[in-house]
Amino acid sequence: MATNIEDSNPRPLDDTSAIRPNGWLQKVLVWIISRATPKCRDVVRILSEQMDHELPVMMRLKLRLHFLACCWCERYMKQLHYMHETARHFPDHAGEASGPALSPEARFRLKHLLNSQ
């Protein structure tokens, strides 16, 4: 029994892709986009680079084009931006996130255990 590629990587219910490979025309468009844009593994690296510096206009256009067909990379980009924004605001609320401090006895036991290993 042949496995359909769409069955092995199903699209999520909240798929935001503008082009879904349902008909032959959409499949051709997705194929063209996949040839004109970076592969998903490269998009992950490029999106990480984007956090450090602004990308060239052509690369930003290629990413937008890639997102038309790939909901997974677009979702990854949104998650990166969320984590970046959250981390940026975290120092303001660091005191709220810390729990109770270890007792001196617990610290001693932990240090002793780590030193023995």
Side-chain angles (χ1 to χ4, degrees):
M1 180 162 112
T3 303
N4 189 350
I5 192 162
E6 290 149 3
D7 294 338
S8 64
N9 191 10
R11 295 173 111 45
L13 296 176
D14 61 341
D15 185 356
T16 56
S17 303
I19 303 171
R20 297 183 187 126
N22 297 335
W24 69 271
L25 179 60
Q26 290 93 342
K27 288 181 183 181
V28 169
L29 285 173
V30 168
W31 182 82
I32 291 170
I33 289 171
S34 71
R35 297 294 181 245
T37 64
K39 298 202 179 303
C40 292
R41 67 177 161 264
D42 295 327
V43 170
V44 168
R45 180 185 49 78
I46 292 166
L47 288 173
S48 294
E49 287 176 10
Q50 185 181 26
M51 295 291 159
D52 297 330
H53 56 83
E54 189 172 347
L55 297 174
V57 174
M58 197 61 189
M59 183 53 70
R60 291 195 312 257
L61 289 173
K62 286 182 180 183
L63 287 176
R64 295 273 184 201
L65 188 59
H66 183 89
F67 295 152
L68 288 176
C70 184
C71 63
W72 301 109
C73 287
E74 185 178 23
R75 181 179 280 185
Y76 181 74
M77 178 198 62
K78 289 176 182 177
Q79 290 171 349
L80 272 181
H81 285 291
Y82 174 77
M83 289 189 302
H84 181 74
E85 285 301 310
T86 303
R88 215 177 61 155
H89 296 294
F90 184 74
D92 299 338
H93 304 287
E96 299 168 12
S98 61
L102 287 175
S103 68
E105 297 83 24
R107 293 176 105 183
F108 176 78
R109 286 194 314 266
L110 188 58
K111 281 183 184 179
H112 182 67
L113 180 65
L114 289 172
N115 287 334
S116 67
Q117 293 177 357

